[in-house]
Amino acid sequence: GESVGLHLPTLSVQEGDNSIINCAYSNSASDYFIWYKQESGKGPQFIIDIRSNMDKRQGQRVTVLLNKTVKHLSLQIAATQPGDSAVYFCAENKAQGAQKLVFGQGTRLTINP
Amino acid sequence: NAGVMQNPRHLVRRRGQEARLRCSPMKGHSHVYWYRQLPEEGLKFMVYLQKENIIDESGMPKERFSAEFPKEGPSILRIQQVVRGDSAAYFCASSGVDGYTFGSGTRLTVV
């Protein structure tokens, strides 16, 4: 079946450092990938997305890399801030804007002062 | 735009009671999705609905769970005869051309 998983369940970094969160997916037919941030007691919040015809996309302090050869997705957060502490999920979909999302387990990112 | 609205935020039910969770999609969104999240886990898809139609219910348990999205009013996720294993956070999302938006969830506790 389809599955999206993460390599590391927890990650601690010093404030100001860069962080990298990884994700492996198994469905080669997926066309669209999203990173979500979830703070305690809240719903998932969209961070950045990437389509399968791209290998890199940058946002504000965040970069998503997609390696379709090894079915690997990563989220890079630059100059981490205390507000970046949260659980980060990758998710995959067949197409943007429709159908179900398949989520990974999540990585808890803690930013140390 | 108030975003995706879910209520109640917290719901406590005794075993055997019914739980009704409500979701109003974002304005202009006609697709609604329900997901369940257990502690320390990712969200698991349950059901995808459009107005008056269930499009994909592959993630719904076969018994006790049902969902609807009527022509008027919010989408409802109904859990009959709740058991302790139903305790979880239930998230609704809606989508349109601008992508997915999640609500803040309903945290169901079965005692």
Side-chain angles (χ1 to χ4, degrees):
Chain A
E2 301 171 355
S3 66
V4 180
L6 296 177
H7 294 311
L8 296 174
T10 61
L11 178 65
S12 292
V13 300
Q14 291 297 122
E15 183 179 351
D17 287 352
N18 299 333
S19 67
I20 299 176
I21 301 171
N22 295 303
C23 176
Y25 65 94
S26 60
N27 187 358
S28 57
S30 291
D31 294 329
Y32 180 58
F33 303 88
I34 316 105
W35 281 101
Y36 285 96
K37 173 185 180 183
Q38 187 177 28
E39 297 174 281
S40 181
K42 297 183 179 180
Q45 177 186 359
F46 173 89
I47 301 173
I48 192 168
D49 58 1
I50 188 167
R51 295 182 181 178
S52 59
N53 62 351
M54 304 169 67
D55 53 21
K56 180 179 180 179
R57 191 167 187 218
Q58 288 184 294
Q60 186 177 12
R61 288 201 303 117
V62 294
T63 301
V64 55
L65 299 177
L66 175 63
N67 185 331
K68 295 181 287 294
T69 302
V70 295
K71 298 179 189 173
H72 184 267
L73 193 68
S74 68
L75 176 70
Q76 300 177 2
I77 305 174
T80 53
Q81 304 168 357
D84 294 330
S85 293
V87 178
Y88 290 81
F89 295 96
C90 63
E92 62 174 312
N93 195 346
K94 288 289 185 66
Q96 182 179 8
Q99 303 183 31
K100 63 183 181 184
L101 295 175
V102 177
F103 281 81
Q105 184 180 8
T107 293
R108 182 176 302 279
L109 176 65
T110 301
I111 308 302
N112 301 314
Chain B
N1 192 334
V4 177
M5 304 300 294
Q6 289 189 250
N7 67 82
R9 288 297 306 276
H10 300 275
L11 182 61
V12 180
R13 284 287 178 267
R14 295 186 184 278
R15 282 177 294 171
Q17 291 185 320
E18 178 179 283
R20 291 168 61 93
L21 288 63
R22 296 174 183 77
C23 170
S24 296
M26 279 186 68
K27 186 176 180 180
H29 285 188
S30 59
H31 305 257
V32 167
Y33 311 79
W34 286 94
Y35 291 81
R36 176 165 60 179
Q37 184 179 35
L38 296 174
E40 301 298 307
E41 293 189 9
L43 281 72
K44 295 291 195 297
F45 168 80
M46 299 181 73
V47 62
Y48 163 33
L49 311 103
Q50 295 180 17
K51 285 285 189 182
E52 300 184 281
N53 286 304
I54 296 174
I55 307 303
D56 181 352
E57 57 181 347
S58 58
M60 286 280 271
K62 299 301 181 187
E63 298 179 348
R64 302 188 297 109
F65 284 72
S66 63
E68 62 178 9
F69 189 17
K71 186 177 181 180
E72 301 291 338
S75 176
I76 305 289
L77 178 68
R78 183 182 292 109
I79 311 173
Q80 296 177 305
Q81 300 174 335
V82 296
V83 300
R84 288 215 171 116
D86 297 332
S87 294
Y90 292 83
F91 290 96
C92 172
S94 68
S95 73
V97 294
D98 55 345
Y100 255 71
T101 301
F102 281 89
S104 297
T106 293
R107 277 143 190 89
L108 173 66
T109 302
V110 179
V111 297

